[in-house]
Amino acid sequence: MQRRNTTYLILAVLLLLAGGLVAKTLLSPRMSADVDPGVPIPPQFSYHFNLDSFDVHRDTLQPNQFLGDILAAQGVPYDQIDALAREAEEIFSVRRLRAGKPYALVKRKGTGLLDCFVYEPSATEFVRFHIYEEPCVEVIERDVEYCLTSSGGTITSSLWDAMEEIGHRHALIARMEDALAWTVSFYHVQKGDAFKLVYEQKYVDGVPVGVGDLLGAWFSSGGKEDYSIHFDGRAYSGFFDLEGRPMKRAFLKSPVRYAYISSRYSSRRFHPILKRYKGHYGTDYAAPYGAPIMAVADGTVTKAGYTGGNGNYVKIRHDETYETQYLHMSKFARGITPGRRVSQGEVIGYVGATGLATGPHVCFRFWKNGRQVDHLRENLPPPEPMPEADLPEFYQVRDAILPQIDDVAVPAYTDEPA
């Protein structure tokens, strides 16, 4: 089943709502039907093999277990295994098989003859290594159904914990950050903050296998509410606020995900290593060692090197007005050298503790007209809304998604133990 685009999903939602269907999950991935006992039961299939003619034996690849070992144990000659491996090289190399992934042996009923080795690199595809008659390898995409789903939660400890508690995958957490990263400080969420999401849930044979697009998001913090609506138009694509202004700003709020501010910009701070007061003209984000550091805006790398105080650092010029700098990296990302053009969100290095640092973090510095400033206090202008001619199409999408967001109930925060 081909993936439906956002517009079709929205129209489907409108039709369902018009029909009076109320549910947290729309566009059900499977529909039940009464079985007529007079109708023959259709044959069952697995990996596209008719189970009336084949037996399927499932297992999991173990560490240091190789395709040749598995096939040889089934009596397949080594010259045939070699021919199959050579045939697979350009399609799906046997070197890509990984321990922990499921596989299956497909045998012909009544003979026990091995017909095919099946490997599942992901929940949405499988690879068939045909043993007989001529060696043949094919990658098959499974039919994926998309279900529009809504959910939400209230933060009692951390955003990550709140999302995990209601069963959200890490991919959905990242998508929410992508939708709101320019307006919400995810590194500084507080107890009592709340979120709501409308997104696609992917199913294979009725089993959830991941998330698709995030279509709408809402985040409430300190009495401030932020909405983000996904829109694919003729000339515009991405996330927009309720007035049609792009959510994407010139600068990200933070150069690292899932971090917290450990030290703020200050003209006089007691240095933990030098043991004296001096200016701290940056913002420290504490994060796990090796966490990716991102460029907060498009620009050109002007410096990528090492000093005793900064450790490994990168400096980027964004335009005639703004520059940014990232200190104490454990290492640079591949290809990050002076003169390299980088995009907003591109990984430029990894969190470390090089130079004068007591622990893993990135010291983020922000220049405006050659002077270091506190980026958290900068009032950068919002982006311009899309042209008037394109707004009606956007409003149609917004007005279909917004009721789904608003309909999500989130529990009120309380300090009292449950």
Side-chain angles (χ1 to χ4, degrees):
M1 177 179 179
Q2 292 186 340
R3 182 180 178 127
R4 294 163 292 196
N5 62 30
T6 302
T7 302
Y8 291 139
L9 279 170
I10 300 305
L11 293 176
V13 173
L14 291 171
L15 290 172
L16 286 168
L17 292 175
L21 295 177
V22 180
K24 287 297 178 189
T25 301
L26 306 176
L27 306 177
S28 175
R30 294 174 69 90
M31 297 184 67
S32 61
D34 295 333
V35 177
D36 187 342
V39 177
I41 298 175
Q44 299 296 306
F45 290 84
S46 180
Y47 305 116
H48 296 182
F49 286 97
N50 188 331
L51 296 184
D52 290 341
S53 303
F54 294 91
D55 292 319
V56 176
H57 305 271
R58 293 178 172 82
D59 208 333
T60 301
L61 276 175
Q62 302 301 311
N64 299 317
Q65 187 178 30
F66 303 100
L67 178 62
D69 299 330
I70 297 172
L71 298 185
Q74 297 296 319
V76 181
Y78 281 105
D79 60 341
Q80 200 164 353
I81 296 173
D82 181 64
L84 183 64
R86 283 188 278 107
E87 177 71 21
E89 192 61 35
E90 298 299 322
I91 303 168
F92 193 95
S93 172
V94 297
R95 291 191 294 270
R96 295 173 59 187
L97 274 60
R98 296 290 181 266
K101 294 290 186 179
Y103 74 89
L105 300 175
V106 181
K107 300 181 178 181
R108 299 181 184 182
K109 275 189 184 295
T111 67
L113 184 66
L114 181 64
D115 189 89
C116 187
F117 172 85
V118 182
Y119 174 71
E120 297 187 58
S122 71
T124 59
E125 66 178 358
F126 58 89
V127 186
R128 301 202 310 187
F129 295 81
H130 293 275
I131 312 300
Y132 298 103
E133 298 164 340
E134 289 294 324
C136 173
V137 180
E138 56 184 338
V139 179
I140 300 175
E141 297 284 339
R142 284 189 164 105
D143 290 337
V144 179
E145 297 184 81
Y146 291 82
C147 170
L148 194 62
T149 303
S150 59
S151 60
T154 300
I155 297 170
T156 57
S157 57
S158 71
L159 173 61
W160 191 274
D161 290 341
M163 296 284 275
E164 288 284 344
E165 283 174 6
I166 57 178
H168 286 323
R169 297 173 180 265
H170 298 174
L172 188 57
I173 301 175
R175 283 169 173 74
M176 184 172 72
E177 281 209 338
D178 290 341
L180 294 163
W182 296 274
T183 56
V184 175
S185 300
F186 285 105
Y187 53 82
H188 199 217
V189 296
Q190 306 172 60
K191 294 179 180 180
D193 291 352
F195 60 91
K196 302 177 184 180
L197 305 169
V198 175
Y199 59 96
E200 297 171 328
Q201 178 73 58
K202 297 195 294 187
Y203 289 85
V204 170
D205 296 330
V207 178
V209 295
V211 295
D213 287 339
L214 175 66
L215 303 184
W218 169 90
F219 198 91
S220 174
S221 178
K224 177 177 176 286
E225 296 183 345
D226 288 283
Y227 284 87
S228 184
I229 305 295
H230 188 265
F231 175 65
D232 283 318
R234 290 166 295 181
Y236 296 88
S237 179
F239 289 96
F240 298 82
D241 67 15
L242 298 183
E243 282 70 49
R245 285 189 294 265
M247 295 298 292
K248 184 174 182 178
R249 305 295 201 262
F251 294 91
L252 291 172
K253 284 278 190 178
S254 168
V256 281
R257 294 182 185 272
Y258 319 127
Y260 67 91
I261 294 177
S262 56
S263 181
R264 293 181 175 271
Y265 181 100
S266 172
S267 59
R268 190 171 184 270
R269 184 195 70 158
F270 186 77
H271 197 283
I273 294 179
L274 298 178
K275 304 300 182 183
R276 60 183 174 86
Y277 286 95
K278 62 176 295 187
H280 181 245
Y281 302 115
T283 303
D284 289 348
Y285 292 89
Y289 191 91
I293 300 171
M294 303 174 293
V296 296
D298 297 349
T300 300
V301 176
T302 57
K303 294 181 181 179
Y306 179 90
T307 67
N310 295 341
N312 293 321
Y313 75 98
V314 171
K315 192 171 185 179
I316 300 173
R317 174 165 287 281
H318 303 287
D319 54 29
E320 292 300 317
T321 303
Y322 298 107
E323 296 175 278
T324 56
Q325 190 178 19
Y326 313 76
L327 280 56
H328 309 307
M329 294 178 171
S330 59
K331 63 180 180 178
F332 307 114
R334 180 176 297 179
I336 298 301
T337 57
R340 165 75 180 272
R341 184 73 182 171
V342 294
S343 302
Q344 185 182 70
E346 182 176 345
V347 175
I348 58 173
Y350 301 89
V351 170
T354 56
L356 293 179
T358 57
H361 74 285
V362 56
C363 177
F364 176 64
R365 302 199 170 195
F366 196 93
W367 272 265
K368 181 178 182 181
N369 294 321
R371 186 173 65 89
Q372 293 189 69
V373 297
D374 184 354
H375 79 288
L376 295 175
R377 295 181 179 274
E378 284 296 300
N379 188 20
L380 300 171
E384 292 295 321
M386 67 182 70
E388 291 281 344
D390 295 302
L391 286 174
E393 184 182 2
F394 168 73
Y395 290 152
Q396 182 181 11
V397 173
R398 178 200 66 184
D399 292 345
I401 289 295
L402 198 54
Q404 299 304 307
I405 297 175
D406 292 340
D407 188 51
V408 177
V410 293
Y413 173 73
T414 176
D415 285 322
E416 297 178 4

